[in-house]
Structures are given as structure tokens and as C-alpha cells.
Amino acid sequence: MELIERPRRLRQSRAMRDLVAETDLRAKDLVQPLFVVPGEGVRRPISALPGQYHLSPDEAAEEAEAIYRAGVPAILLFGIPPEKDAVGSWAARLDAPVQDATRRIKRAVPELLVMADTCLCEYTDHGHCGVLRGDGTVDNDETLPLLASAAVSQAEAGADVIAPSDMMDGRVGALRAGLDGAGFTGTAILSYAVKYRSAFYGPFREAAGSAPQHGDRSGYQMDFRNGREAMREARIDIEEGADMLLVKPGMPYLDVLSAVAQSSAVPVGAYQVSGEYAMLEAAAERGWLDRDQVVQESLVALKRAGARFIITYYAHEWAKRALAR
Ligand code: PBG
């Protein structure tokens, strides 16, 4: 009897439950993604991601200030260029939306960490994450120097963290060498080391206009039937110099997140991706799920599984609500 009652006694009041809770979610754990577009004064709702916006650099700077005031320590910037071409030229331009926004944000709120997503898919007209060979497949090694120059221009604009999401082999080493060579030895690399080829990126591709025009990303993103492969990807990226790792998507991959977080020598974060957000939003809108409760539960689950930090479209909103409590 005594043994059976023991867990029950720890659940009997809110204060007792809070006292013994293993997992604690705080605004300082969260990273808010933002989509930056060309122009001035632009704040356009993204239909596939209700509550998220396409922001011009000036609007992104304003949003960043509000995010920082709410207690969120970092943002992750994605850019939509004014034009796309075969090699994603705009990715490395100092006057591109992400670089422009980064400069303005670091001027307005220097303490806010700016993470820049480094990939070519938003910048190429074919929507793949690297440059293509004649046969339409991605040329891994030709892509590396292009990613490195994109990263260097992001660092030059003031980005604190470079976050490569392209999944080319050897890119962490190439980015580290490129950054160091340009004098940016202090710029950190957050590698999307464990990134699965996932249909949960659907809404993002609408938001970034980055759906591949032919084929899919299975040549460079991971097969979701494989869990142990994640350990190898993580190890390689750490060896190449990654300061932090990311597992992505989040909720369907808690097993992978847990295994990587336990064995990794560097901090591991999770990305609650666009499809996870869209799924919760759609069900909540229909009244099928209690929005606030499922948001809380899904974020705590990622933390419980081992995420040191979480990239989530709910970051700003969650932090504002936490402030109000
Ligand atoms: C770019 C990139 C993607 C996401 C982050 N960086 C899309 C993709 O790989 O197709 C997805 C983010 C999300 O779904 O929220 N490579």
C-alpha cells in the first residue's frame, strides 16, 4: 500500500507537481524563425503558416525587438530573394534580405542572437539545396564553396550563428574553413546534422517558395526509416567543427532526438517544423485540440527528450504568454 501511494502523494497539489517536475520549459530555451523578404514596410501573412509573416528587413528588426523583450534569446532567419537563379547567387549577397535584416537587427538589439539559415534552396530557381549537374542531380562538392561564401556574407552582416540546413556532405568543415579564413573565428555553427527527408516541411516550402521543381531531397536528406544513421551524421558534424546540432523534424523523431542528445558532446536542439505547427493550428482551429495545451505538451516533450533548445514558430507567442502569467 505504502509503495502504491508514493507517486500519488507527489501529484496531489500543483505546488508538489511543480516541485518534482523533471522538465522545465522557459522562454530562454526558444528560437523564433522569421522569413525575410525584399522591400520596406512589408508584413504579409503566410497562408500555410497562420500567425507567421513575410517581413521586410525593417519589419523584421521591429519584430526582433519585440521577440527579445518577451525573453526569447535567439531568432533564425530565412530569406526570400528578389530573384532566383541556377546557382542561388543571392544567398551570398550583402544586400540580400537576410544580410540586410541581420545588420538592422544587430544594430537595434545587439544582445539578441541572430542565427542565419544557410542553404541554397530558397535562392535557386530549381529549388534544390545545391547546384545541379547536367543530369539534374545535386553536385555536392560544387555546392560547398557557394555555401561557404553565403555563410561568410551572413557573418559579415553580423550573424552570430550559421545554421546550414542543406545536408551536403562535408559542409560543416567547408563552412568552418571559410569562416575562419575570412576572420570569423568567433561565429558559431549550428548544424542541421540530423535532418530527415520529411513531408512535414510542406508549409515551409510554400512560405519560402523552395519546393524542388523536379524530384525530391532523398539524395541528401536522411531516410526516415533509419535511426542509427543519425548518430553517424552527428559524429561527423562534430568532428568537422559543429558547435551545436539540430534534430529535425521534432515530434515524429523523439527517439532519434533522445539518442543523439544523450551521446552528443555538443548541445543538441530540436526543430518543431512547419508541418508540426500547421497540424496543431489546423486541429485547434476546428476545435479538435486545445491549442495552448497541445503547444505546451509538444514543446515540453521535445525538452524532455533531450533538446537543450527548440526552434519553434510558437516561440514569441509562448514567451509573451509566459510573461503575462
Ligand atoms: C531549407 C530548410 C527547410 C526547412 C528549414 N530549412 C526546408 C527543406 O529542407 O525542404 C524546413 C523548416 C520547416 O519546415 O519549418 N533547406
Side-chain angles (χ1 to χ4, degrees), residues 78 117 119 121-122 129 165-166 192 195 200-201 204-205 217 221 248 271 273-275 313:
F78 293 99
D117 185 89
C119 190
C121 68
E122 297 118 69
C129 302
S165 67
D166 53 283
Y192 290 68
K195 176 169 171 179
F200 284 100
Y201 309 146
F204 173 94
R205 291 180 186 171
R217 303 208 202 289
Q221 297 184 352
K248 172 184 173 192
Y271 196 146
V273 301
S274 58
Y313 299 97

mmCIF file of all heavy atoms in Angstrom, residues 78 117 119 121-122 129 165-166 192 195 200-201 204-205 217 221 248 271 273-275 313, ligand 1:
data_model
loop_
_atom_site.group_PDB
_atom_site.id
_atom_site.type_symbol
_atom_site.label_atom_id
_atom_site.label_comp_id
_atom_site.label_asym_id
_atom_site.label_seq_id
_atom_site.Cartn_x
_atom_site.Cartn_y
_atom_site.Cartn_z
ATOM 1 N N PHE A 78 15.351 33.163 -42.341
ATOM 2 C CA PHE A 78 15.270 32.594 -43.682
ATOM 3 C C PHE A 78 15.042 33.742 -44.643
ATOM 4 O O PHE A 78 14.330 34.697 -44.299
ATOM 5 C CB PHE A 78 14.096 31.622 -43.793
ATOM 6 C CG PHE A 78 14.258 30.383 -42.958
ATOM 7 C CD1 PHE A 78 13.640 30.277 -41.728
ATOM 8 C CD2 PHE A 78 15.040 29.328 -43.406
ATOM 9 C CE1 PHE A 78 13.799 29.134 -40.952
ATOM 10 C CE2 PHE A 78 15.198 28.186 -42.634
ATOM 11 C CZ PHE A 78 14.574 28.090 -41.409
ATOM 12 N N ASP A 117 19.985 30.860 -41.459
ATOM 13 C CA ASP A 117 19.871 29.575 -42.138
ATOM 14 C C ASP A 117 20.708 29.653 -43.415
ATOM 15 O O ASP A 117 20.574 30.594 -44.193
ATOM 16 C CB ASP A 117 18.410 29.291 -42.494
ATOM 17 C CG ASP A 117 18.228 27.909 -43.096
ATOM 18 O OD1 ASP A 117 18.022 26.957 -42.335
ATOM 19 O OD2 ASP A 117 18.306 27.789 -44.341
ATOM 20 N N CYS A 119 21.502 27.821 -46.776
ATOM 21 C CA CYS A 119 21.074 26.796 -47.730
ATOM 22 C C CYS A 119 20.828 27.482 -49.055
ATOM 23 O O CYS A 119 20.661 28.693 -49.099
ATOM 24 C CB CYS A 119 19.787 26.124 -47.240
ATOM 25 S SG CYS A 119 19.370 24.652 -48.207
ATOM 26 N N CYS A 121 18.320 26.360 -51.264
ATOM 27 C CA CYS A 121 17.016 26.047 -51.869
ATOM 28 C C CYS A 121 16.087 27.248 -51.990
ATOM 29 O O CYS A 121 15.268 27.306 -52.907
ATOM 30 C CB CYS A 121 16.330 24.889 -51.149
ATOM 31 S SG CYS A 121 15.806 25.272 -49.476
ATOM 32 N N GLU A 122 16.209 28.227 -51.098
ATOM 33 C CA GLU A 122 15.365 29.420 -51.236
ATOM 34 C C GLU A 122 15.874 30.325 -52.363
ATOM 35 O O GLU A 122 15.178 31.240 -52.788
ATOM 36 C CB GLU A 122 15.341 30.229 -49.935
ATOM 37 C CG GLU A 122 14.730 29.508 -48.749
ATOM 38 C CD GLU A 122 15.745 29.332 -47.629
ATOM 39 O OE1 GLU A 122 16.137 30.331 -47.011
ATOM 40 O OE2 GLU A 122 16.161 28.183 -47.398
ATOM 41 N N CYS A 129 18.797 22.148 -52.851
ATOM 42 C CA CYS A 129 19.657 22.771 -51.841
ATOM 43 C C CYS A 129 21.092 22.954 -52.313
ATOM 44 O O CYS A 129 21.947 23.443 -51.562
ATOM 45 C CB CYS A 129 19.621 21.952 -50.549
ATOM 46 S SG CYS A 129 17.953 21.795 -49.881
ATOM 47 N N SER A 165 21.436 24.085 -43.434
ATOM 48 C CA SER A 165 20.324 23.131 -43.484
ATOM 49 C C SER A 165 20.297 22.378 -44.804
ATOM 50 O O SER A 165 19.337 21.708 -45.136
ATOM 51 C CB SER A 165 18.995 23.855 -43.277
ATOM 52 O OG SER A 165 18.716 24.716 -44.357
ATOM 53 N N ASP A 166 21.390 22.477 -45.573
ATOM 54 C CA ASP A 166 21.421 21.930 -46.929
ATOM 55 C C ASP A 166 21.667 20.429 -46.981
ATOM 56 O O ASP A 166 21.298 19.768 -47.930
ATOM 57 C CB ASP A 166 22.563 22.601 -47.680
ATOM 58 C CG ASP A 166 23.857 22.454 -46.873
ATOM 59 O OD1 ASP A 166 24.026 23.193 -45.886
ATOM 60 O OD2 ASP A 166 24.665 21.558 -47.191
ATOM 61 N N TYR A 192 22.367 21.436 -38.902
ATOM 62 C CA TYR A 192 21.207 20.558 -39.000
ATOM 63 C C TYR A 192 21.781 19.180 -39.328
ATOM 64 O O TYR A 192 21.665 18.689 -40.441
ATOM 65 C CB TYR A 192 20.312 20.952 -40.165
ATOM 66 C CG TYR A 192 19.517 22.234 -40.076
ATOM 67 C CD1 TYR A 192 20.142 23.485 -40.090
ATOM 68 C CD2 TYR A 192 18.122 22.198 -40.055
ATOM 69 C CE1 TYR A 192 19.382 24.647 -40.073
ATOM 70 C CE2 TYR A 192 17.369 23.363 -40.046
ATOM 71 C CZ TYR A 192 18.002 24.580 -40.057
ATOM 72 O OH TYR A 192 17.245 25.721 -40.061
ATOM 73 N N LYS A 195 18.812 15.667 -40.258
ATOM 74 C CA LYS A 195 17.655 16.242 -40.933
ATOM 75 C C LYS A 195 17.083 15.207 -41.879
ATOM 76 O O LYS A 195 17.742 14.777 -42.830
ATOM 77 C CB LYS A 195 18.074 17.495 -41.700
ATOM 78 C CG LYS A 195 16.941 18.098 -42.511
ATOM 79 C CD LYS A 195 17.316 19.460 -43.038
ATOM 80 C CE LYS A 195 16.275 19.960 -44.018
ATOM 81 N NZ LYS A 195 16.608 21.289 -44.527
ATOM 82 N N PHE A 200 6.821 16.841 -43.530
ATOM 83 C CA PHE A 200 6.427 17.865 -42.561
ATOM 84 C C PHE A 200 7.020 19.248 -42.878
ATOM 85 O O PHE A 200 6.762 20.197 -42.165
ATOM 86 C CB PHE A 200 6.815 17.446 -41.137
ATOM 87 C CG PHE A 200 5.895 16.405 -40.558
ATOM 88 C CD1 PHE A 200 6.249 15.067 -40.544
ATOM 89 C CD2 PHE A 200 4.657 16.763 -40.044
ATOM 90 C CE1 PHE A 200 5.402 14.106 -40.013
ATOM 91 C CE2 PHE A 200 3.797 15.805 -39.518
ATOM 92 C CZ PHE A 200 4.162 14.480 -39.498
ATOM 93 N N TYR A 201 7.844 19.340 -43.947
ATOM 94 C CA TYR A 201 8.355 20.652 -44.347
ATOM 95 C C TYR A 201 7.431 21.343 -45.354
ATOM 96 O O TYR A 201 7.761 22.418 -45.846
ATOM 97 C CB TYR A 201 9.760 20.555 -44.982
ATOM 98 C CG TYR A 201 10.787 19.779 -44.186
ATOM 99 C CD1 TYR A 201 11.766 19.020 -44.832
ATOM 100 C CD2 TYR A 201 10.793 19.821 -42.798
ATOM 101 C CE1 TYR A 201 12.716 18.314 -44.108
ATOM 102 C CE2 TYR A 201 11.736 19.101 -42.070
ATOM 103 C CZ TYR A 201 12.696 18.350 -42.727
ATOM 104 O OH TYR A 201 13.631 17.643 -42.013
ATOM 105 N N PHE A 204 6.547 25.095 -44.998
ATOM 106 C CA PHE A 204 7.752 25.926 -45.132
ATOM 107 C C PHE A 204 8.069 26.169 -46.603
ATOM 108 O O PHE A 204 8.430 27.267 -47.004
ATOM 109 C CB PHE A 204 8.949 25.237 -44.469
ATOM 110 C CG PHE A 204 10.264 25.933 -44.700
ATOM 111 C CD1 PHE A 204 10.747 26.844 -43.781
ATOM 112 C CD2 PHE A 204 11.020 25.679 -45.848
ATOM 113 C CE1 PHE A 204 11.955 27.496 -43.994
ATOM 114 C CE2 PHE A 204 12.226 26.322 -46.068
ATOM 115 C CZ PHE A 204 12.697 27.232 -45.140
ATOM 116 N N ARG A 205 7.933 25.122 -47.400
ATOM 117 C CA ARG A 205 8.301 25.273 -48.815
ATOM 118 C C ARG A 205 7.371 26.243 -49.518
ATOM 119 O O ARG A 205 7.778 26.929 -50.443
ATOM 120 C CB ARG A 205 8.337 23.912 -49.494
ATOM 121 C CG ARG A 205 9.515 23.113 -48.949
ATOM 122 C CD ARG A 205 9.634 21.748 -49.553
ATOM 123 N NE ARG A 205 10.686 21.018 -48.863
ATOM 124 C CZ ARG A 205 10.934 19.735 -49.036
ATOM 125 N NH1 ARG A 205 10.200 19.042 -49.884
ATOM 126 N NH2 ARG A 205 11.904 19.144 -48.373
ATOM 127 N N ARG A 217 14.278 15.425 -52.143
ATOM 128 C CA ARG A 217 15.556 15.657 -51.495
ATOM 129 C C ARG A 217 16.174 14.374 -50.940
ATOM 130 O O ARG A 217 17.068 14.427 -50.083
ATOM 131 C CB ARG A 217 15.388 16.669 -50.355
ATOM 132 C CG ARG A 217 14.792 18.003 -50.773
ATOM 133 C CD ARG A 217 15.281 19.116 -49.857
ATOM 134 N NE ARG A 217 14.448 20.300 -49.822
ATOM 135 C CZ ARG A 217 14.321 21.174 -50.809
ATOM 136 N NH1 ARG A 217 14.940 20.981 -51.961
ATOM 137 N NH2 ARG A 217 13.569 22.240 -50.663
ATOM 138 N N GLN A 221 18.921 14.335 -48.004
ATOM 139 C CA GLN A 221 18.332 14.304 -46.658
ATOM 140 C C GLN A 221 18.180 12.847 -46.216
ATOM 141 O O GLN A 221 18.208 11.926 -47.017
ATOM 142 C CB GLN A 221 16.989 15.041 -46.645
ATOM 143 C CG GLN A 221 17.164 16.530 -46.983
ATOM 144 C CD GLN A 221 15.877 17.328 -46.893
ATOM 145 O OE1 GLN A 221 14.791 16.779 -46.716
ATOM 146 N NE2 GLN A 221 15.995 18.639 -47.039
ATOM 147 N N LYS A 248 15.733 17.263 -36.698
ATOM 148 C CA LYS A 248 14.609 17.877 -37.405
ATOM 149 C C LYS A 248 13.966 16.863 -38.330
ATOM 150 O O LYS A 248 14.702 16.171 -39.035
ATOM 151 C CB LYS A 248 15.186 19.054 -38.190
ATOM 152 C CG LYS A 248 14.264 19.722 -39.144
ATOM 153 C CD LYS A 248 15.026 20.783 -39.877
ATOM 154 C CE LYS A 248 14.115 21.310 -40.953
ATOM 155 N NZ LYS A 248 14.773 22.120 -41.903
ATOM 156 N N TYR A 271 13.992 21.053 -33.872
ATOM 157 C CA TYR A 271 13.218 21.982 -34.685
ATOM 158 C C TYR A 271 11.797 21.447 -34.797
ATOM 159 O O TYR A 271 11.577 20.390 -35.389
ATOM 160 C CB TYR A 271 13.858 22.105 -36.071
ATOM 161 C CG TYR A 271 13.419 23.301 -36.906
ATOM 162 C CD1 TYR A 271 14.311 23.923 -37.767
ATOM 163 C CD2 TYR A 271 12.122 23.806 -36.852
ATOM 164 C CE1 TYR A 271 13.936 25.018 -38.546
ATOM 165 C CE2 TYR A 271 11.738 24.904 -37.615
ATOM 166 C CZ TYR A 271 12.649 25.501 -38.462
ATOM 167 O OH TYR A 271 12.272 26.578 -39.229
ATOM 168 N N VAL A 273 8.971 21.717 -36.765
ATOM 169 C CA VAL A 273 8.928 22.287 -38.116
ATOM 170 C C VAL A 273 7.532 22.748 -38.525
ATOM 171 O O VAL A 273 6.540 22.542 -37.805
ATOM 172 C CB VAL A 273 9.499 21.313 -39.165
ATOM 173 C CG1 VAL A 273 10.942 20.947 -38.844
ATOM 174 C CG2 VAL A 273 8.623 20.071 -39.287
ATOM 175 N N SER A 274 7.489 23.338 -39.714
ATOM 176 C CA SER A 274 6.274 23.979 -40.202
ATOM 177 C C SER A 274 5.068 23.041 -40.210
ATOM 178 O O SER A 274 3.959 23.442 -39.872
ATOM 179 C CB SER A 274 6.526 24.541 -41.601
ATOM 180 O OG SER A 274 6.938 23.513 -42.485
ATOM 181 N N GLY A 275 5.272 21.782 -40.601
ATOM 182 C CA GLY A 275 4.147 20.848 -40.668
ATOM 183 C C GLY A 275 3.605 20.482 -39.300
ATOM 184 O O GLY A 275 2.400 20.244 -39.138
ATOM 185 N N TYR A 313 7.867 27.921 -34.254
ATOM 186 C CA TYR A 313 7.084 29.076 -34.686
ATOM 187 C C TYR A 313 6.234 29.626 -33.538
ATOM 188 O O TYR A 313 5.632 30.678 -33.660
ATOM 189 C CB TYR A 313 6.217 28.702 -35.901
ATOM 190 C CG TYR A 313 7.081 28.262 -37.067
ATOM 191 C CD1 TYR A 313 7.325 26.912 -37.325
ATOM 192 C CD2 TYR A 313 7.722 29.203 -37.871
ATOM 193 C CE1 TYR A 313 8.160 26.505 -38.350
ATOM 194 C CE2 TYR A 313 8.562 28.814 -38.900
ATOM 195 C CZ TYR A 313 8.780 27.460 -39.132
ATOM 196 O OH TYR A 313 9.625 27.073 -40.135
HETATM 197 C C1 PBG B 1 15.999 24.591 -46.165
HETATM 198 C C2 PBG B 1 15.153 24.346 -44.978
HETATM 199 C C3 PBG B 1 13.910 23.693 -44.897
HETATM 200 C C4 PBG B 1 13.470 23.855 -43.575
HETATM 201 C C5 PBG B 1 14.460 24.561 -42.898
HETATM 202 N N1 PBG B 1 15.492 24.848 -43.776
HETATM 203 C C6 PBG B 1 13.109 23.012 -45.932
HETATM 204 C C7 PBG B 1 13.591 21.830 -46.623
HETATM 205 O O1 PBG B 1 14.632 21.245 -46.316
HETATM 206 O O2 PBG B 1 12.907 21.454 -47.561
HETATM 207 C C8 PBG B 1 12.168 23.361 -43.030
HETATM 208 C C9 PBG B 1 11.643 24.139 -41.872
HETATM 209 C C10 PBG B 1 10.203 23.880 -41.571
HETATM 210 O O3 PBG B 1 9.529 23.061 -42.185
HETATM 211 O O4 PBG B 1 9.710 24.582 -40.668
HETATM 212 N N2 PBG B 1 16.713 23.504 -46.632
#
